[in-house]
């Protein structure tokens, strides 16, 4: 008697629940399988490339000295792109969510989202045919007045420099970062904002006291998503950047720039054979690991900060 | 009891959508290469899987169009994976015909012969002049000797009013602008042929040897022919090298050959093959050419790209052999060469080479 009563009280499981639970579990597992698959492929194919002797690959170098300039270029490009894009993204998001009239803010939001729909090859074309030539006088000016800073050495005559590539990358990662920041800013509890204003805060102080602390982890997540795209962006960089193999330079406005890992693979894969292909895949593994590390670091940052953010 | 029909409908719909999208991924278009039964003697049918050189891509597209008009049952797939990839896939047996900007090396030739179980048919199909393009304010005509050209790309000549450039252009007013030498940042047969020319003729001004990957530090890199053209166009004081047909309205330098300066034209480029020698010690069907960069006849333009198509002499499948033979016969014919010249801007093979190539192609047969 009692057992039948217990079963009757248990919540009924409908077929829909089962199907949906199965689907979502399957999707979760699928992500792991794909990630593991990519990781295993990169490792298995990459190891011969890492171990290859200099005379067996086209670069004629050991793996580490060969891949180091690429890692340097990748990190420099992504970091500067992020430095340019984060303040702009926060500013635009704040404008849309708190400053602009509601109607105008909406239109602005659409326009920003539109930027995200532009394919990277179009950004590449824009970079090489429009932005680069127009940056030349600016670079000459930088070199003339600020050449004591090592970033602004001998300027390029075509403007196809790593700084131009960074600007293109910054524009490309702007939409996703703005969209996330905007959503987070809009979720700031109304009471927090009103409390700040009631204490006599100006609008900027209100943003600083109520919105930013609340949104901090969201802003970091947005920046990490942007960084991920900047690290992995291939085509736009390959088109815009003038690269010299093995170059490591602080000069951001010169003709000789280090390539990025992704762009280097795209440029050299077509004509590579044998172990040179393995070396390229190994450099892909390095990018994979860098992206992982960056994400872990970001997670750690968000976790550590979340106690003070007021988001919980 | 309140049983909302949506409760069933939503997950079912989700499952359906997922299943549909997954099956859509699975149904890729598998090319059908089995219908090789040829019906008539003159007309061929079937699928020709070719690939390789990106330089030949435009010409192959034009050839395919014309070839399919006369042979309506033929599908030609040309995969522009690059010359190295084309040769590799041909040796592995994935492609029936490979397009390559370089002839097979001895090592590759041995492997290809094993795979084909016969000799290899290797014919030049696409000859294109490589123009030295420049963009310098106030200069529209430029003459360059090989030694000066080597110095510019090596980075030892750095300004446009350098004495060496002045010596080649006594009448021109040259500015003191810095020279930006633009090269290909991707690996390319164009780079291979250009550096081969510099290596042989620049009297030591160029030290980078003849290679596919740009060997010298400095200068400016750009992706692909279009990238080089865009970079040269975008700057002042720039110089680069690119397929003559892609150079557009940019200035093209005349190169010193013998005692005179020769402009890059298709006519001058096609003469270089007749002035060159075939690689010795190869089968009669293997027309690999060592381009003579040191010609002294100033009617010849020696900076050319010579691209080949490579096939087996024997194929197991008779229909396959007939298709490859028909394709290469058309491509190397005077007609085919003219089609490529008008659509891709290449230099047509001379009649002597057309005959040579046709003789080699005629030996293709089913085993």
């Amino acid at each position: 008697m009692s057992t039948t009563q217990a079963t009757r009280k248990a919540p009924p499981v409908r077929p829909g629940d089962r199907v949906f639970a199965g689907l979502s579990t399957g999707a979760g597992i699928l992500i792991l399988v794909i990630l593991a698959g990519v990781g295993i492929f990169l490792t298995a194919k990459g190891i011969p490339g890492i171990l290859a002797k200099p005379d067996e690959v086209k670069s004629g170098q050991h793996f580490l000295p060969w891949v180091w300039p690429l890692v340097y270029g990748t990190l420099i490009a992504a970091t500067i792109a992020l430095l340019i894009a984060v303040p702009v993204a926060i500013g635009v998001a704040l404008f849309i969510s708190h400053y602009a009239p509601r109607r105008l803010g909406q239109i602005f939001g659409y326009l920003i989202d539109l930027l995200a729909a532009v394919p990277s090859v179009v950004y590449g074309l824009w970079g090489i045919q429009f932005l680069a030539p127009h940056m030349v006088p600016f670079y000459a000016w930088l070199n003339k007045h600020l050449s004591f800073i090592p970033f602004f050495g001998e300027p390029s005559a075509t403007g196809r420099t790593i700084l131009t590539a960074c600007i293109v990358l910054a524009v490309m990662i702007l939409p996703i970062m703005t969209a996330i920041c905007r959503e987070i800013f809009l979720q700031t509890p109304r009471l927090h904002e009103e409390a700040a204003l009631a204490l006599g805060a100006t609008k900027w102080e209100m943003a600083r006291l109520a919105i930013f602390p609340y949104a901090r982890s969201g802003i970091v997540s947005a920046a990490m998503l942007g960084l991920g795209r900047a690290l992995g962006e291939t085509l736009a960089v390959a088109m815009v950047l003038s690269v010299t193999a093995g170059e490591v330079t602080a000069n951001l406005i010169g003709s000789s720039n280090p390539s990025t890992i992704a762009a280097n693979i795209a440029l050299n894969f077509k004509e590579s054979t044998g172990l040179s292909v393995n070396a390229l895949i190994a450099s892909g593994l390095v990018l994979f690991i860098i992206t992982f590390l960056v994400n872990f670091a970001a997670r750690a940052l968000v976790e550590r900060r979340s106690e003070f953010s007021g988001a919980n | 009891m309140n049983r909302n029909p949506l409760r069933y409908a939503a997950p079912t719909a989700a499952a359906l959508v997922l299943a549909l999208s997954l099956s859509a991924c699975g149904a890729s278009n598998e090319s059908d290469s089995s219908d090789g039964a040829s019906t008539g003697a003159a007309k061929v049918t079937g699928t020709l899987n070719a690939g390789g050189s990106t330089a030949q891509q435009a010409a192959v597209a034009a050839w395919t169009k014309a070839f399919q008009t006369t042979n309506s049952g033929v599908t030609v797939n040309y995969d522009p994976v690059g010359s190295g990839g084309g040769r590799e896939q041909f040796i592995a047996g994935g492609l029936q015909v490979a397009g390559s900007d370089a002839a097979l090396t001895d090592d590759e030739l041995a492997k290809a012969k094993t795979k084909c179980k016969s000799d290899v048919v290797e014919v030049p199909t696409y000859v294109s002049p490589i123009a030295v393009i420049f963009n310098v304010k106030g200069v529209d005509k430029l003459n360059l000797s090989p030694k000066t050209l080597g110095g510019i790309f090596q980075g030892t000549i750095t300004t446009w009013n350098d004495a060496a450039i002045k010596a080649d252009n006594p009448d021109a007013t040259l500015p003191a602008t810095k020279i930006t030498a633009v090269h290909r940042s991707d690996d390319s047969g164009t780079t291979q042929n250009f550096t081969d020319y510099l290596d042989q003729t620049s009297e030591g001004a160029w030290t980078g040897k003849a290679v596919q990957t740009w060997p010298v530090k400095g200068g400016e890199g750009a992706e692909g022919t279009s990238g080089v053209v865009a970079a040269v166009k975008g700057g002042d004081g720039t110089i680069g090298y690119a397929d003559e047909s892609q150079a557009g309205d940019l200035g093209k330098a005349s190169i010193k050959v013998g005692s005179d300066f020769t402009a890059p034209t298709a006519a001058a480029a096609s003469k270089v093959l007749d002035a060159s020698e075939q690689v010795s010690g190869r089968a009669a069907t293997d027309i690999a050419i060592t381009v003579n960069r040191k010609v002294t006849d100033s009617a010849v333009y020696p900076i050319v790209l010579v691209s080949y198509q490579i096939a087996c002499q024997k194929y197991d499948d008779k229909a396959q052999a007939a298709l490859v033979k028909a394709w290469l016969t058309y491509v190397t014919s005077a007609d085919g060469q003219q089609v490529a010249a008008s659509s891709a801007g290449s230099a047509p093979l001379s009649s002597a080479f057309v005959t040579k190539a046709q003789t080699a192609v005629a030996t293709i047969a089913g085993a």
Side-chain angles (χ1 to χ4, degrees), chain A residues 64-305:
Chain A
L64 276 182
W66 172 72
V67 84
W68 153 242
L70 298 175
V71 173
Y72 172 81
T74 308
L75 291 178
I76 282 271
T79 311
I80 297 177
L82 209 58
L83 284 180
I84 299 173
V86 165
V88 178
I90 292 177
V92 173
L94 204 58
F95 173 75
I96 293 173
S97 64
H98 285 81
Y99 281 84
R102 180 174 276 268
R103 175 90 33 99
L104 189 66
Q106 272 177 348
I107 296 172
F108 239 75
Y110 285 130
L111 287 180
I112 293 284
D113 288 346
L114 201 63
L115 277 181
V118 178
S120 60
V121 62
V122 174
Y123 279 113
L125 283 174
W126 172 70
I128 191 173
Q129 299 200 330
F130 178 82
L131 185 63
H134 285 82
M135 293 300 282
V136 174
F138 175 58
Y139 291 152
W141 182 86
L142 279 179
N143 175 252
K144 200 170 168 194
H145 299 284
L146 296 170
S147 59
F148 57 89
I149 306 174
F151 294 148
F152 306 123
E154 187 68 17
S156 155
T158 56
R160 297 173 54 248
T161 70
I162 199 152
L163 192 54
T164 307
C166 290
I167 295 171
V168 174
L169 281 179
V171 175
M172 293 177 76
I173 64 180
L174 198 57
I176 181 129
M177 288 166 57
T178 307
I180 294 173
C181 288
R182 185 187 62 201
E183 291 308 313
I184 304 274
F185 291 171
L186 282 173
Q187 281 170 20
T188 314
R190 197 83 200 137
L191 283 175
H192 288 202
E193 293 174 14
E194 281 169 5
L197 291 173
L199 286 171
T202 62
K203 204 152 191 184
W204 158 240
E205 282 166 338
M206 183 266 282
R208 223 177 46 187
L209 293 170
I211 302 176
F212 288 163
Y214 178 82
R216 186 175 283 137
S217 65
I219 295 174
V220 173
S221 306
M224 286 310 122
L225 270 177
L227 186 62
R229 178 155 191 206
L231 283 172
E233 176 51 40
T234 308
L235 199 56
V237 177
M239 288 169 78
V240 170
L241 192 59
S242 155
V243 299
T244 301
E247 184 79 24
V248 177
T249 170
N251 186 2
L252 299 178
I253 58 171
S255 277
S256 302
N257 301 286
S259 190
T260 69
I261 291 177
N264 182 62
I265 296 176
L267 288 177
N268 293 312
F269 189 74
K270 274 187 180 171
E271 295 287 341
S272 289
T273 51
L275 277 173
S276 300
V277 175
N278 292 92
L280 286 177
I281 294 175
S283 73
L285 179 65
V286 173
L287 182 60
F288 196 65
I289 294 168
I290 291 175
T291 314
F292 252 136
L293 291 180
V294 165
N295 272 316
F296 272 127
R299 280 289 160 96
L301 203 69
V302 172
E303 295 279 310
R304 205 163 58 83
R305 286 291 192 161

Side-chain angles (χ1 to χ4, degrees), chain B residues 230-288:
Chain B
V232 170
K233 218 176 244 174
D236 181 25
T238 46
I239 185 166
Y241 56 92
D243 239 39
E244 196 267 340
S245 57
Q246 305 297 313
D249 52 0
L250 283 166
K252 297 168 206 161
S254 295
I255 301 299
K256 191 168 195 175
V257 183
S259 58
D260 216 346
F261 291 92
T262 310
T265 59
S270 63
K271 286 185 186 142
V272 79
L273 284 195
D274 301 308
S276 304
E277 280 179 12
Q278 269 178 245
V279 176
S280 59
R282 296 221 170 173
T285 54
D286 187 346
I287 312 177

